[in-house]
Amino acid sequence: MAIPKAELHIHIEGTLEPELAFHLADRNNLTLPFTDVDHLRAAYDFTDLPSFLDLYYRLMDVLRTEADFHDLAHAYLTRAAAQGVRHAEIFFDPQAHTNRGIPLHVVINGLTSALHTARTDHDLTTELILCFLRDRPVAEAMDTLDAARPHLHHITGVGLDSAEIGHPPADFTDVFTAAARLGLHRVAHAGEEGPADYIWQALNHLGVERIDHGIRCLDDPTLLT
Ligand SMILES: [Zn+2]
């Protein structure tokens, strides 16, 4: 706790705790496919990335309003501050919401209001990283970048996440080039479950400044030198 920390890999939607999920479901008159908090908590016993992502996307359905996104980020930032986090670079997945009919400004306004409060209340600085879902069409990522243009003053960079295998980074070259032209930083999940070659693609085609996960670099000694 006493050691100041920087959080450089956090998916805000993934911080949704079972208690808050049930609270938001009640507030939005939704029924979760779990009997109670303990039942949901038990479902967090993942076996692999796809089984995690299945629950991750199912739970997001409770996020509907600006207040929901605010409460999600506020809960995370309050916990982070208590753990000594002084700076957090936060991923969010706009397509996971816009594809459910939630407007992008609802997501961004809700999140940023909580980020602002964290700065005031905890002296905790934050950056927001807009991630494209790599298992969705490239054109949809480009549309998402276009939709984000009015909000770029809230967004530091773009990233690439979700199911990796079969979705090589190079597919998103045009999107990342457009993001670079808008002055955005670039990062990407690569070499998490996909091969080391995806790390090369993220570096060489997307021009990323940071690889997220990247554990498969161990398969390619050149990446380690
Ligand atoms: Zn991640």
Side-chain angles (χ1 to χ4, degrees):
M1 159 58 202
I3 302 171
K5 302 172 189 75
E7 181 99 80
L8 299 181
H9 193 133
I10 184 79
H11 296 266
I12 197 63
E13 295 92 343
T15 70
L16 182 58
E17 293 280 345
E19 291 80 3
L20 183 58
F22 272 93
H23 175 70
L24 298 183
D26 282 348
R27 193 158 81 186
N28 291 317
N29 295 313
L30 300 166
T31 303
L32 283 173
F34 301 94
T35 52
D36 55 27
V37 166
D38 289 338
H39 183 205
L40 173 51
R41 200 176 295 284
Y44 277 77
D45 188 15
F46 315 117
T47 52
D48 54 17
L49 183 60
S51 66
F52 162 74
L53 289 172
D54 179 55
L55 180 62
Y56 179 68
Y57 290 123
R58 269 200 289 168
L59 275 186
M60 274 185 215
D61 193 41
V62 302
L63 299 167
R64 299 288 179 102
T65 67
E66 274 189 33
D68 298 338
F69 286 94
H70 169 276
D71 291 356
L72 169 73
H74 180 72
Y76 159 69
L77 290 162
T78 302
R79 289 194 302 274
Q83 293 170 9
V85 173
R86 302 294 304 278
H87 178 74
E89 302 191 354
I90 298 172
F91 298 126
F92 74 114
D93 288 332
Q95 290 156 273
H97 312 301
T98 54
N99 287 346
R100 297 184 289 115
I102 312 297
L104 185 59
H105 69 85
V106 167
V107 180
I108 291 178
N109 290 350
L111 294 177
T112 53
S113 68
L115 304 191
H116 183 76
T117 303
R119 180 70 182 261
T120 307
D121 291 357
H122 304 295
D123 196 24
L124 197 167
T125 58
T126 56
E127 308 286 353
L128 206 50
I129 301 173
L130 181 159
C131 283
F132 304 112
L133 300 184
R134 70 195 316 157
D135 50 355
R136 299 286 307 165
V138 172
E140 192 179 291
M142 195 64 96
D143 289 346
T144 301
L145 181 64
D146 284 339
R149 284 171 187 258
H151 308 286
L152 292 185
H153 54 294
H154 291 306
I155 295 168
T156 301
V158 295
L160 188 67
D161 65 5
S162 197
E164 186 178 9
I165 292 174
H167 306 289
D171 288 355
F172 292 85
T173 301
D174 290 348
V175 182
F176 273 64
T177 300
R181 289 204 187 102
L182 292 170
L184 294 165
H185 288 282
R186 288 153 288 157
V187 300
H189 287 53
E192 179 182 3
E193 56 171 3
D197 178 58
Y198 283 14
I199 299 174
W200 284 118
Q201 290 186 28
L203 293 168
N204 295 332
H205 294 265
L206 306 187
V208 301
E209 298 153 78
R210 189 163 70 205
I211 294 285
D212 303 308
H213 296 287
I215 54 173
R216 297 291 297 278
C217 67
L218 295 173
D219 298 338
D220 185 342
T222 315
L223 273 170
L224 300 175
T225 58

PDB file of all heavy atoms in Angstrom, residues 101-134:
ATOM      1  N   GLY A 101     -25.995  -0.543 -28.707  1.00  0.00           N
ATOM      2  CA  GLY A 101     -26.871   0.619 -28.826  1.00  0.00           C
ATOM      3  C   GLY A 101     -26.583   1.728 -27.838  1.00  0.00           C
ATOM      4  O   GLY A 101     -27.361   2.675 -27.710  1.00  0.00           O
ATOM      5  N   ILE A 102     -25.458   1.620 -27.115  1.00  0.00           N
ATOM      6  CA  ILE A 102     -25.091   2.671 -26.162  1.00  0.00           C
ATOM      7  C   ILE A 102     -24.241   3.702 -26.909  1.00  0.00           C
ATOM      8  O   ILE A 102     -23.181   3.347 -27.445  1.00  0.00           O
ATOM      9  CB  ILE A 102     -24.265   2.104 -24.984  1.00  0.00           C
ATOM     10  CG1 ILE A 102     -24.922   0.843 -24.394  1.00  0.00           C
ATOM     11  CG2 ILE A 102     -24.032   3.191 -23.934  1.00  0.00           C
ATOM     12  CD1 ILE A 102     -26.259   1.059 -23.793  1.00  0.00           C
ATOM     13  N   PRO A 103     -24.657   4.961 -26.962  1.00  0.00           N
ATOM     14  CA  PRO A 103     -23.869   5.960 -27.697  1.00  0.00           C
ATOM     15  C   PRO A 103     -22.487   6.165 -27.087  1.00  0.00           C
ATOM     16  O   PRO A 103     -22.318   6.093 -25.857  1.00  0.00           O
ATOM     17  CB  PRO A 103     -24.706   7.241 -27.575  1.00  0.00           C
ATOM     18  CG  PRO A 103     -26.084   6.781 -27.212  1.00  0.00           C
ATOM     19  CD  PRO A 103     -25.896   5.526 -26.410  1.00  0.00           C
ATOM     20  N   LEU A 104     -21.518   6.446 -27.939  1.00  0.00           N
ATOM     21  CA  LEU A 104     -20.142   6.613 -27.466  1.00  0.00           C
ATOM     22  C   LEU A 104     -20.017   7.729 -26.427  1.00  0.00           C
ATOM     23  O   LEU A 104     -19.260   7.609 -25.459  1.00  0.00           O
ATOM     24  CB  LEU A 104     -19.224   6.899 -28.664  1.00  0.00           C
ATOM     25  CG  LEU A 104     -17.728   6.985 -28.353  1.00  0.00           C
ATOM     26  CD1 LEU A 104     -17.212   5.695 -27.726  1.00  0.00           C
ATOM     27  CD2 LEU A 104     -16.931   7.318 -29.613  1.00  0.00           C
ATOM     28  N   HIS A 105     -20.770   8.822 -26.626  1.00  0.00           N
ATOM     29  CA  HIS A 105     -20.627   9.925 -25.672  1.00  0.00           C
ATOM     30  C   HIS A 105     -21.109   9.533 -24.270  1.00  0.00           C
ATOM     31  O   HIS A 105     -20.610  10.045 -23.280  1.00  0.00           O
ATOM     32  CB  HIS A 105     -21.345  11.185 -26.182  1.00  0.00           C
ATOM     33  CG  HIS A 105     -22.840  11.092 -26.196  1.00  0.00           C
ATOM     34  ND1 HIS A 105     -23.614  11.368 -25.090  1.00  0.00           N
ATOM     35  CD2 HIS A 105     -23.703  10.736 -27.164  1.00  0.00           C
ATOM     36  CE1 HIS A 105     -24.887  11.214 -25.389  1.00  0.00           C
ATOM     37  NE2 HIS A 105     -24.976  10.812 -26.643  1.00  0.00           N
ATOM     38  N   VAL A 106     -22.050   8.617 -24.189  1.00  0.00           N
ATOM     39  CA  VAL A 106     -22.510   8.134 -22.877  1.00  0.00           C
ATOM     40  C   VAL A 106     -21.354   7.429 -22.158  1.00  0.00           C
ATOM     41  O   VAL A 106     -21.101   7.651 -20.967  1.00  0.00           O
ATOM     42  CB  VAL A 106     -23.712   7.180 -23.040  1.00  0.00           C
ATOM     43  CG1 VAL A 106     -24.001   6.420 -21.751  1.00  0.00           C
ATOM     44  CG2 VAL A 106     -24.939   7.954 -23.495  1.00  0.00           C
ATOM     45  N   VAL A 107     -20.636   6.606 -22.904  1.00  0.00           N
ATOM     46  CA  VAL A 107     -19.500   5.864 -22.335  1.00  0.00           C
ATOM     47  C   VAL A 107     -18.412   6.841 -21.875  1.00  0.00           C
ATOM     48  O   VAL A 107     -17.953   6.788 -20.723  1.00  0.00           O
ATOM     49  CB  VAL A 107     -18.920   4.891 -23.380  1.00  0.00           C
ATOM     50  CG1 VAL A 107     -17.745   4.119 -22.798  1.00  0.00           C
ATOM     51  CG2 VAL A 107     -20.004   3.955 -23.906  1.00  0.00           C
ATOM     52  N   ILE A 108     -18.029   7.718 -22.771  1.00  0.00           N
ATOM     53  CA  ILE A 108     -16.895   8.599 -22.498  1.00  0.00           C
ATOM     54  C   ILE A 108     -17.244   9.628 -21.409  1.00  0.00           C
ATOM     55  O   ILE A 108     -16.434   9.875 -20.501  1.00  0.00           O
ATOM     56  CB  ILE A 108     -16.422   9.272 -23.795  1.00  0.00           C
ATOM     57  CG1 ILE A 108     -15.791   8.207 -24.698  1.00  0.00           C
ATOM     58  CG2 ILE A 108     -15.413  10.384 -23.491  1.00  0.00           C
ATOM     59  CD1 ILE A 108     -15.316   8.716 -26.050  1.00  0.00           C
ATOM     60  N   ASN A 109     -18.435  10.183 -21.458  1.00  0.00           N
ATOM     61  CA  ASN A 109     -18.808  11.161 -20.426  1.00  0.00           C
ATOM     62  C   ASN A 109     -18.855  10.514 -19.044  1.00  0.00           C
ATOM     63  O   ASN A 109     -18.411  11.110 -18.056  1.00  0.00           O
ATOM     64  CB  ASN A 109     -20.167  11.788 -20.738  1.00  0.00           C
ATOM     65  CG  ASN A 109     -20.111  12.709 -21.936  1.00  0.00           C
ATOM     66  OD1 ASN A 109     -19.034  13.035 -22.428  1.00  0.00           O
ATOM     67  ND2 ASN A 109     -21.272  13.111 -22.423  1.00  0.00           N
ATOM     68  N   GLY A 110     -19.389   9.324 -18.985  1.00  0.00           N
ATOM     69  CA  GLY A 110     -19.461   8.633 -17.689  1.00  0.00           C
ATOM     70  C   GLY A 110     -18.082   8.333 -17.132  1.00  0.00           C
ATOM     71  O   GLY A 110     -17.785   8.602 -15.966  1.00  0.00           O
ATOM     72  N   LEU A 111     -17.229   7.782 -17.986  1.00  0.00           N
ATOM     73  CA  LEU A 111     -15.871   7.437 -17.535  1.00  0.00           C
ATOM     74  C   LEU A 111     -15.097   8.686 -17.128  1.00  0.00           C
ATOM     75  O   LEU A 111     -14.470   8.731 -16.062  1.00  0.00           O
ATOM     76  CB  LEU A 111     -15.110   6.693 -18.643  1.00  0.00           C
ATOM     77  CG  LEU A 111     -15.632   5.307 -19.042  1.00  0.00           C
ATOM     78  CD1 LEU A 111     -14.797   4.751 -20.197  1.00  0.00           C
ATOM     79  CD2 LEU A 111     -15.601   4.343 -17.856  1.00  0.00           C
ATOM     80  N   THR A 112     -15.130   9.711 -17.970  1.00  0.00           N
ATOM     81  CA  THR A 112     -14.276  10.875 -17.713  1.00  0.00           C
ATOM     82  C   THR A 112     -14.726  11.649 -16.474  1.00  0.00           C
ATOM     83  O   THR A 112     -13.890  12.247 -15.795  1.00  0.00           O
ATOM     84  CB  THR A 112     -14.210  11.817 -18.935  1.00  0.00           C
ATOM     85  OG1 THR A 112     -15.533  12.160 -19.340  1.00  0.00           O
ATOM     86  CG2 THR A 112     -13.495  11.154 -20.083  1.00  0.00           C
ATOM     87  N   SER A 113     -16.005  11.607 -16.171  1.00  0.00           N
ATOM     88  CA  SER A 113     -16.422  12.301 -14.943  1.00  0.00           C
ATOM     89  C   SER A 113     -15.801  11.631 -13.722  1.00  0.00           C
ATOM     90  O   SER A 113     -15.382  12.306 -12.771  1.00  0.00           O
ATOM     91  CB  SER A 113     -17.945  12.355 -14.830  1.00  0.00           C
ATOM     92  OG  SER A 113     -18.487  11.080 -14.615  1.00  0.00           O
ATOM     93  N   ALA A 114     -15.688  10.304 -13.753  1.00  0.00           N
ATOM     94  CA  ALA A 114     -15.054   9.596 -12.630  1.00  0.00           C
ATOM     95  C   ALA A 114     -13.542   9.834 -12.611  1.00  0.00           C
ATOM     96  O   ALA A 114     -12.939   9.967 -11.538  1.00  0.00           O
ATOM     97  CB  ALA A 114     -15.346   8.096 -12.725  1.00  0.00           C
ATOM     98  N   LEU A 115     -12.926   9.919 -13.776  1.00  0.00           N
ATOM     99  CA  LEU A 115     -11.482  10.179 -13.832  1.00  0.00           C
ATOM    100  C   LEU A 115     -11.177  11.554 -13.245  1.00  0.00           C
ATOM    101  O   LEU A 115     -10.184  11.746 -12.533  1.00  0.00           O
ATOM    102  CB  LEU A 115     -10.966  10.105 -15.276  1.00  0.00           C
ATOM    103  CG  LEU A 115     -11.221   8.826 -16.074  1.00  0.00           C
ATOM    104  CD1 LEU A 115     -10.409   8.843 -17.363  1.00  0.00           C
ATOM    105  CD2 LEU A 115     -10.916   7.583 -15.288  1.00  0.00           C
ATOM    106  N   HIS A 116     -12.034  12.513 -13.550  1.00  0.00           N
ATOM    107  CA  HIS A 116     -11.851  13.867 -13.032  1.00  0.00           C
ATOM    108  C   HIS A 116     -11.952  13.883 -11.509  1.00  0.00           C
ATOM    109  O   HIS A 116     -11.143  14.517 -10.820  1.00  0.00           O
ATOM    110  CB  HIS A 116     -12.903  14.788 -13.648  1.00  0.00           C
ATOM    111  CG  HIS A 116     -12.772  16.210 -13.240  1.00  0.00           C
ATOM    112  ND1 HIS A 116     -11.802  17.049 -13.747  1.00  0.00           N
ATOM    113  CD2 HIS A 116     -13.464  16.944 -12.329  1.00  0.00           C
ATOM    114  CE1 HIS A 116     -11.911  18.234 -13.193  1.00  0.00           C
ATOM    115  NE2 HIS A 116     -12.918  18.206 -12.324  1.00  0.00           N
ATOM    116  N   THR A 117     -12.921  13.162 -10.990  1.00  0.00           N
ATOM    117  CA  THR A 117     -13.095  13.101  -9.535  1.00  0.00           C
ATOM    118  C   THR A 117     -11.879  12.459  -8.864  1.00  0.00           C
ATOM    119  O   THR A 117     -11.452  12.887  -7.791  1.00  0.00           O
ATOM    120  CB  THR A 117     -14.365  12.284  -9.195  1.00  0.00           C
ATOM    121  OG1 THR A 117     -15.472  12.894  -9.846  1.00  0.00           O
ATOM    122  CG2 THR A 117     -14.611  12.246  -7.697  1.00  0.00           C
ATOM    123  N   ALA A 118     -11.307  11.443  -9.502  1.00  0.00           N
ATOM    124  CA  ALA A 118     -10.144  10.757  -8.914  1.00  0.00           C
ATOM    125  C   ALA A 118      -8.955  11.706  -8.813  1.00  0.00           C
ATOM    126  O   ALA A 118      -8.165  11.645  -7.861  1.00  0.00           O
ATOM    127  CB  ALA A 118      -9.772   9.540  -9.752  1.00  0.00           C
ATOM    128  N   ARG A 119      -8.841  12.586  -9.807  1.00  0.00           N
ATOM    129  CA  ARG A 119      -7.756  13.567  -9.781  1.00  0.00           C
ATOM    130  C   ARG A 119      -7.944  14.511  -8.598  1.00  0.00           C
ATOM    131  O   ARG A 119      -7.005  14.813  -7.856  1.00  0.00           O
ATOM    132  CB  ARG A 119      -7.742  14.346 -11.103  1.00  0.00           C
ATOM    133  CG  ARG A 119      -6.668  15.399 -11.202  1.00  0.00           C
ATOM    134  CD  ARG A 119      -5.313  14.727 -11.311  1.00  0.00           C
ATOM    135  NE  ARG A 119      -4.232  15.691 -11.356  1.00  0.00           N
ATOM    136  CZ  ARG A 119      -3.639  16.098 -12.479  1.00  0.00           C
ATOM    137  NH1 ARG A 119      -4.031  15.637 -13.643  1.00  0.00           N
ATOM    138  NH2 ARG A 119      -2.643  16.942 -12.428  1.00  0.00           N
ATOM    139  N   THR A 120      -9.180  14.952  -8.408  1.00  0.00           N
ATOM    140  CA  THR A 120      -9.482  15.904  -7.341  1.00  0.00           C
ATOM    141  C   THR A 120      -9.391  15.247  -5.962  1.00  0.00           C
ATOM    142  O   THR A 120      -8.785  15.797  -5.036  1.00  0.00           O
ATOM    143  CB  THR A 120     -10.919  16.453  -7.539  1.00  0.00           C
ATOM    144  OG1 THR A 120     -11.030  16.952  -8.872  1.00  0.00           O
ATOM    145  CG2 THR A 120     -11.207  17.561  -6.554  1.00  0.00           C
ATOM    146  N   ASP A 121      -9.975  14.070  -5.840  1.00  0.00           N
ATOM    147  CA  ASP A 121     -10.091  13.444  -4.515  1.00  0.00           C
ATOM    148  C   ASP A 121      -8.844  12.690  -4.081  1.00  0.00           C
ATOM    149  O   ASP A 121      -8.547  12.611  -2.893  1.00  0.00           O
ATOM    150  CB  ASP A 121     -11.282  12.457  -4.497  1.00  0.00           C
ATOM    151  CG  ASP A 121     -12.614  13.164  -4.584  1.00  0.00           C
ATOM    152  OD1 ASP A 121     -12.624  14.416  -4.593  1.00  0.00           O
ATOM    153  OD2 ASP A 121     -13.652  12.470  -4.659  1.00  0.00           O
ATOM    154  N   HIS A 122      -8.141  12.098  -5.032  1.00  0.00           N
ATOM    155  CA  HIS A 122      -7.030  11.199  -4.666  1.00  0.00           C
ATOM    156  C   HIS A 122      -5.700  11.609  -5.285  1.00  0.00           C
ATOM    157  O   HIS A 122      -4.714  10.890  -5.126  1.00  0.00           O
ATOM    158  CB  HIS A 122      -7.349   9.764  -5.110  1.00  0.00           C
ATOM    159  CG  HIS A 122      -8.631   9.225  -4.569  1.00  0.00           C
ATOM    160  ND1 HIS A 122      -8.845   9.002  -3.222  1.00  0.00           N
ATOM    161  CD2 HIS A 122      -9.784   8.860  -5.189  1.00  0.00           C
ATOM    162  CE1 HIS A 122     -10.072   8.526  -3.042  1.00  0.00           C
ATOM    163  NE2 HIS A 122     -10.659   8.436  -4.220  1.00  0.00           N
ATOM    164  N   ASP A 123      -5.675  12.707  -6.026  1.00  0.00           N
ATOM    165  CA  ASP A 123      -4.468  13.106  -6.743  1.00  0.00           C
ATOM    166  C   ASP A 123      -3.968  11.958  -7.627  1.00  0.00           C
ATOM    167  O   ASP A 123      -2.774  11.725  -7.758  1.00  0.00           O
ATOM    168  CB  ASP A 123      -3.378  13.551  -5.754  1.00  0.00           C
ATOM    169  CG  ASP A 123      -2.266  14.329  -6.453  1.00  0.00           C
ATOM    170  OD1 ASP A 123      -2.529  14.896  -7.538  1.00  0.00           O
ATOM    171  OD2 ASP A 123      -1.141  14.351  -5.930  1.00  0.00           O
ATOM    172  N   LEU A 124      -4.913  11.221  -8.187  1.00  0.00           N
ATOM    173  CA  LEU A 124      -4.605  10.073  -9.035  1.00  0.00           C
ATOM    174  C   LEU A 124      -4.777  10.516 -10.487  1.00  0.00           C
ATOM    175  O   LEU A 124      -5.870  10.888 -10.906  1.00  0.00           O
ATOM    176  CB  LEU A 124      -5.561   8.921  -8.682  1.00  0.00           C
ATOM    177  CG  LEU A 124      -5.209   7.504  -9.117  1.00  0.00           C
ATOM    178  CD1 LEU A 124      -6.113   6.496  -8.405  1.00  0.00           C
ATOM    179  CD2 LEU A 124      -5.287   7.288 -10.599  1.00  0.00           C
ATOM    180  N   THR A 125      -3.691  10.507 -11.251  1.00  0.00           N
ATOM    181  CA  THR A 125      -3.773  10.915 -12.654  1.00  0.00           C
ATOM    182  C   THR A 125      -4.144   9.715 -13.525  1.00  0.00           C
ATOM    183  O   THR A 125      -3.819   8.564 -13.190  1.00  0.00           O
ATOM    184  CB  THR A 125      -2.443  11.514 -13.144  1.00  0.00           C
ATOM    185  OG1 THR A 125      -1.405  10.550 -12.962  1.00  0.00           O
ATOM    186  CG2 THR A 125      -2.110  12.782 -12.375  1.00  0.00           C
ATOM    187  N   THR A 126      -4.800   9.998 -14.635  1.00  0.00           N
ATOM    188  CA  THR A 126      -5.257   8.917 -15.512  1.00  0.00           C
ATOM    189  C   THR A 126      -5.076   9.301 -16.983  1.00  0.00           C
ATOM    190  O   THR A 126      -5.000  10.485 -17.315  1.00  0.00           O
ATOM    191  CB  THR A 126      -6.764   8.624 -15.293  1.00  0.00           C
ATOM    192  OG1 THR A 126      -7.499   9.829 -15.485  1.00  0.00           O
ATOM    193  CG2 THR A 126      -7.031   8.073 -13.905  1.00  0.00           C
ATOM    194  N   GLU A 127      -5.021   8.295 -17.816  1.00  0.00           N
ATOM    195  CA  GLU A 127      -5.092   8.452 -19.264  1.00  0.00           C
ATOM    196  C   GLU A 127      -6.116   7.433 -19.744  1.00  0.00           C
ATOM    197  O   GLU A 127      -6.278   6.368 -19.135  1.00  0.00           O
ATOM    198  CB  GLU A 127      -3.748   8.162 -19.934  1.00  0.00           C
ATOM    199  CG  GLU A 127      -2.557   8.912 -19.374  1.00  0.00           C
ATOM    200  CD  GLU A 127      -2.497  10.385 -19.750  1.00  0.00           C
ATOM    201  OE1 GLU A 127      -3.331  10.802 -20.582  1.00  0.00           O
ATOM    202  OE2 GLU A 127      -1.643  11.100 -19.212  1.00  0.00           O
ATOM    203  N   LEU A 128      -6.774   7.756 -20.847  1.00  0.00           N
ATOM    204  CA  LEU A 128      -7.795   6.866 -21.384  1.00  0.00           C
ATOM    205  C   LEU A 128      -7.327   6.342 -22.744  1.00  0.00           C
ATOM    206  O   LEU A 128      -6.931   7.127 -23.615  1.00  0.00           O
ATOM    207  CB  LEU A 128      -9.098   7.657 -21.531  1.00  0.00           C
ATOM    208  CG  LEU A 128     -10.437   6.923 -21.494  1.00  0.00           C
ATOM    209  CD1 LEU A 128     -10.559   5.981 -20.300  1.00  0.00           C
ATOM    210  CD2 LEU A 128     -11.572   7.950 -21.494  1.00  0.00           C
ATOM    211  N   ILE A 129      -7.362   5.018 -22.900  1.00  0.00           N
ATOM    212  CA  ILE A 129      -6.923   4.384 -24.148  1.00  0.00           C
ATOM    213  C   ILE A 129      -8.110   3.670 -24.788  1.00  0.00           C
ATOM    214  O   ILE A 129      -8.682   2.749 -24.199  1.00  0.00           O
ATOM    215  CB  ILE A 129      -5.779   3.380 -23.886  1.00  0.00           C
ATOM    216  CG1 ILE A 129      -4.589   4.095 -23.241  1.00  0.00           C
ATOM    217  CG2 ILE A 129      -5.366   2.688 -25.193  1.00  0.00           C
ATOM    218  CD1 ILE A 129      -3.474   3.162 -22.780  1.00  0.00           C
ATOM    219  N   LEU A 130      -8.466   4.113 -25.970  1.00  0.00           N
ATOM    220  CA  LEU A 130      -9.606   3.547 -26.717  1.00  0.00           C
ATOM    221  C   LEU A 130      -9.131   2.297 -27.444  1.00  0.00           C
ATOM    222  O   LEU A 130      -8.250   2.373 -28.309  1.00  0.00           O
ATOM    223  CB  LEU A 130     -10.124   4.605 -27.692  1.00  0.00           C
ATOM    224  CG  LEU A 130     -11.322   4.310 -28.588  1.00  0.00           C
ATOM    225  CD1 LEU A 130     -11.939   5.621 -29.051  1.00  0.00           C
ATOM    226  CD2 LEU A 130     -10.946   3.452 -29.786  1.00  0.00           C
ATOM    227  N   CYS A 131      -9.683   1.153 -27.081  1.00  0.00           N
ATOM    228  CA  CYS A 131      -9.261  -0.098 -27.716  1.00  0.00           C
ATOM    229  C   CYS A 131     -10.251  -0.524 -28.793  1.00  0.00           C
ATOM    230  O   CYS A 131     -11.465  -0.446 -28.609  1.00  0.00           O
ATOM    231  CB  CYS A 131      -9.165  -1.215 -26.675  1.00  0.00           C
ATOM    232  SG  CYS A 131      -7.697  -1.113 -25.657  1.00  0.00           S
ATOM    233  N   PHE A 132      -9.704  -0.977 -29.893  1.00  0.00           N
ATOM    234  CA  PHE A 132     -10.519  -1.584 -30.941  1.00  0.00           C
ATOM    235  C   PHE A 132     -10.607  -3.082 -30.669  1.00  0.00           C
ATOM    236  O   PHE A 132      -9.622  -3.700 -30.251  1.00  0.00           O
ATOM    237  CB  PHE A 132      -9.881  -1.366 -32.318  1.00  0.00           C
ATOM    238  CG  PHE A 132      -9.633   0.086 -32.641  1.00  0.00           C
ATOM    239  CD1 PHE A 132      -8.336   0.576 -32.731  1.00  0.00           C
ATOM    240  CD2 PHE A 132     -10.696   0.953 -32.839  1.00  0.00           C
ATOM    241  CE1 PHE A 132      -8.099   1.915 -33.021  1.00  0.00           C
ATOM    242  CE2 PHE A 132     -10.469   2.300 -33.134  1.00  0.00           C
ATOM    243  CZ  PHE A 132      -9.171   2.778 -33.219  1.00  0.00           C
ATOM    244  N   LEU A 133     -11.771  -3.646 -30.954  1.00  0.00           N
ATOM    245  CA  LEU A 133     -11.957  -5.089 -30.795  1.00  0.00           C
ATOM    246  C   LEU A 133     -11.460  -5.777 -32.059  1.00  0.00           C
ATOM    247  O   LEU A 133     -12.045  -5.617 -33.130  1.00  0.00           O
ATOM    248  CB  LEU A 133     -13.433  -5.432 -30.545  1.00  0.00           C
ATOM    249  CG  LEU A 133     -14.066  -4.818 -29.295  1.00  0.00           C
ATOM    250  CD1 LEU A 133     -15.506  -5.325 -29.134  1.00  0.00           C
ATOM    251  CD2 LEU A 133     -13.261  -5.137 -28.046  1.00  0.00           C
ATOM    252  N   ARG A 134     -10.395  -6.535 -31.920  1.00  0.00           N
ATOM    253  CA  ARG A 134      -9.742  -7.105 -33.102  1.00  0.00           C
ATOM    254  C   ARG A 134     -10.560  -8.225 -33.726  1.00  0.00           C
ATOM    255  O   ARG A 134     -10.302  -8.616 -34.875  1.00  0.00           O
ATOM    256  CB  ARG A 134      -8.355  -7.611 -32.714  1.00  0.00           C
ATOM    257  CG  ARG A 134      -8.403  -8.827 -31.823  1.00  0.00           C
ATOM    258  CD  ARG A 134      -7.084  -9.102 -31.146  1.00  0.00           C
ATOM    259  NE  ARG A 134      -5.962  -8.976 -32.039  1.00  0.00           N
ATOM    260  CZ  ARG A 134      -4.709  -8.728 -31.634  1.00  0.00           C
ATOM    261  NH1 ARG A 134      -4.469  -8.559 -30.344  1.00  0.00           N
ATOM    262  NH2 ARG A 134      -3.742  -8.654 -32.478  1.00  0.00           N
TER     263      ARG A 134
END
